[in-house]
């Protein structure tokens, strides 16, 4: 089943400068994640996940599974690879939960929120 990485492409750290930086930190991280993602992991960009104090932010989501928001990343190949690896494990999990011992080092300490799957319409 497909897992989506939703990437905030408007995220900026305090050191971002519009005069010298061609891309936001979110755009930089998005490009790195998009280059890594394949198979059961898809990506999409959005303009603002409202986690500005924890830039750069991503959400890991899959239908009927736990969803996670992660943040406070610096854009790098190592970070992008860790996010994609975690998303691949999320895709392979029936519930979306990934045991802590399997988390890539690059994402440890970056979890912001966890969301339960939406109930099926008849389970309200």
């Amino acid at each position: 089943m497909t897992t989506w990485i939703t990437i905030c492409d408007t995220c900026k750290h305090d050191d971002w400068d519009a005069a010298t930086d061609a891309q936001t930190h979110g755009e930089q991280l998005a490009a790195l994640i998009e280059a890594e993602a394949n198979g059961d992991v898809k990506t999409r960009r959005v303009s603002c996940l409202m986690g500005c104090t924890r830039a750069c932010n991503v959400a890991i989501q899959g239908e009927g599974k736990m969803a996670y928001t992660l943040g406070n990343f610096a854009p790098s190949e190592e970070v992008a690879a860790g996010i994609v690896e975690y998303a691949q494990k999320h895709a392979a999990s029936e519930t979306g939960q990934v045991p802590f011992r399997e988390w890539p080092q690059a994402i440890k300490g970056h979890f912001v929120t966890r969301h339960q799957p939406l109930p099926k319409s008849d389970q309200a």
Side-chain angles (χ1 to χ4, degrees):
M1 183 177 284
T2 300
T3 285
W4 286 88
I5 304 173
T6 302
I7 310 151
C8 176
D9 64 5
T10 56
C11 281
K12 300 175 220 52
H13 290 284
D14 291 339
D15 64 349
W16 185 79
D17 183 351
T20 58
D21 295 322
Q23 295 182 313
T24 64
H25 295 115
E27 289 172 316
Q28 294 169 16
L29 183 59
L32 293 165
I33 291 171
E34 290 163 350
E36 283 282 328
N38 59 51
D40 288 338
V41 175
K42 306 286 184 206
T43 64
R44 66 181 179 157
R45 294 183 186 203
V46 297
S47 294
C48 198
L49 285 174
M50 297 183 76
C52 302
T53 60
R54 292 187 177 100
C56 294
N57 296 283
V58 299
I60 311 287
Q61 304 162 289
E63 187 176 338
K65 296 183 176 189
M66 298 286 288
Y68 300 90
T69 306
L70 296 85
N72 201 28
F73 290 111
S76 74
E77 290 180 4
E78 178 186 355
V79 164
I83 291 169
V84 171
E85 181 183 345
Y86 181 81
Q88 290 167 334
K89 293 175 185 295
H90 181 275
S93 168
E94 186 175 319
T95 64
Q97 293 180 292
V98 178
F100 179 79
R101 68 183 172 278
E102 294 180 24
W103 292 7
Q105 188 62 40
I107 60 118
K108 289 182 178 178
H110 292 272
F111 284 80
V112 177
T113 62
R114 176 176 71 178
H115 305 270
Q116 299 295 322
L118 290 171
K120 295 181 179 165
S121 60
D122 60 345
Q123 292 181 336

